[in-house]
Amino acid sequence: MLVKTKAIVISSLKFQEKSLIVKCFTLSSGLKSYFVRDAFSSRKASQKIAYFQPLSILEIEAVHKNKGTLENFKELKTAVPFQTIHTDIFKSTMVMFLSEVLHYSIQEEEKNESLFLFLETALTWLDHHDEISNFHLILLLEITKYLGFYPDVSEIDLPFFEVNDGVFTHFQKGNVLTEHETNLFKKLIDLKFDNDQKVFHVLERQILLKILIDYYSFHLDGFKKPKSLEILKEVFS
């Protein structure tokens, strides 16, 4: 079946000497993997490979056989031409980390149009703004809405957050954040991308990042701590 759709690049893996296997989150069909033959062998190789940088947003035409095998691109072009994301060290490090998180979070070939549109809007915001210190924290929390485990905020005034059930509670038992951690988490829940990015200092961001990674790890089967996590911490320290 010939499909025209937007696609967000989640990961690309070199295959043998000249080819790539590219995993994309598509607007039309959810997660898809594509085989790019001779990606490194033509005179336009650098141009072709540039399409597949982490979280690039493409407009693709592809043949989807839907048999669980690798699909093939027929045509592709940049849908959202980023100006800063892949050249700014802070943004590119953040995007590398987030692409790893998405790699382990989006696991099924099923359409999730609302998640796609949210990611497209968020990445466009990132490309156009300079104050981005909390972007990855807000994004990770917001993504849980689309994956089905956003915290239950109906009793957010209670003093502790219970990670396993995703609820606020009176009791500090089980897998529960401390009161200090819970207060940081509540502050994050209230944040939007356009809010003051200096609301947390570096150590508080690191605490929140650990909370979010642990939260993902508990609620998603097969989720792994991203290898780029330490690089992210170093760049933003």
Side-chain angles (χ1 to χ4, degrees):
M1 179 171 64
L2 187 61
V3 175
K4 291 184 179 181
T5 183
K6 282 185 177 179
I8 298 173
V9 176
I10 302 299
S11 64
S12 58
L13 177 68
K14 192 172 183 180
F15 179 75
Q16 297 180 344
E17 287 300 311
K18 299 179 180 179
S19 302
L20 276 175
I21 295 173
V22 180
K23 183 175 286 188
C24 292
F25 180 50
T26 69
L27 179 60
S28 67
S29 314
L31 203 61
K32 286 286 184 184
S33 293
Y34 300 88
F35 183 65
V36 183
R37 189 182 303 280
D38 297 333
F40 296 91
S41 61
S42 71
R43 282 186 298 173
K44 293 185 177 180
S46 60
Q47 181 181 340
K48 184 183 287 188
I49 294 164
Y51 284 125
F52 305 121
Q53 294 184 78
L55 302 190
S56 293
I57 304 175
L58 307 176
E59 189 81 47
I60 68 169
E61 187 174 314
V63 177
H64 286 179
K65 295 180 180 177
N66 299 318
K67 294 182 178 178
T69 55
L70 295 174
E71 314 288 16
N72 291 283
F73 295 116
K74 284 183 69 68
E75 300 285 343
L76 72 162
K77 62 182 180 180
T78 300
V80 181
F82 293 141
Q83 303 301 313
T84 64
I85 280 181
H86 295 130
T87 55
D88 180 294
I89 183 64
F90 297 101
K91 293 183 182 182
S92 60
T93 302
M94 195 175 276
V95 158
M96 179 173 63
F97 165 75
L98 291 169
S99 68
E100 259 198 280
V101 171
L102 290 169
H103 176 78
Y104 292 122
S105 303
I106 304 172
Q107 298 167 346
E108 295 185 12
E109 286 191 22
E110 60 180 51
K111 183 176 180 178
N112 191 336
E113 186 174 329
S114 56
L115 175 56
F116 185 98
L117 295 174
F118 166 72
L119 290 172
E120 181 180 33
T121 301
L123 290 167
T124 302
W125 185 94
L126 176 65
D127 190 50
H128 287 91
H129 291 80
D130 296 323
E131 296 296 325
I132 61 161
S133 302
N134 302 317
F135 176 84
H136 57 310
L137 302 174
I138 298 168
L139 190 80
L140 289 179
L141 184 59
E142 288 295 310
I143 286 171
T144 65
K145 289 180 180 177
Y146 305 95
L147 298 180
F149 58 101
Y150 187 77
D152 180 350
V153 295
S154 60
E155 295 187 281
I156 197 170
D157 292 335
L158 297 180
F160 304 108
F161 181 70
E162 207 284 324
V163 172
N164 295 12
D165 294 328
V167 298
F168 291 88
T169 178
H170 286 289
F171 310 106
Q172 193 172 14
K173 63 179 182 180
N175 191 4
V176 172
L177 303 184
T178 66
E179 193 163 2
H180 174 61
E181 291 170 338
T182 300
N183 285 334
L184 288 177
F185 195 55
K186 288 177 181 180
K187 194 183 289 187
L188 177 61
I189 286 172
D190 286 336
L191 273 192
K192 305 299 179 193
F193 291 133
D194 285 321
N195 289 148
D196 178 15
Q197 295 288 316
K198 296 181 176 65
V199 66
F200 301 119
H201 59 63
V202 171
L203 289 178
E204 289 176 330
R205 287 194 194 95
Q206 291 182 359
I207 290 169
L208 283 165
L209 190 54
K210 182 182 184 305
I211 289 169
L212 287 163
I213 294 297
D214 289 346
Y215 192 52
Y216 271 67
S217 298
F218 183 83
H219 288 276
L220 291 175
D221 290 338
F223 184 84
K224 297 179 182 178
K225 185 168 79 170
K227 294 176 182 176
S228 56
L229 181 60
E230 295 307 316
I231 302 171
L232 182 77
K233 287 180 181 177
E234 193 169 320
V235 168
F236 280 90
S237 64

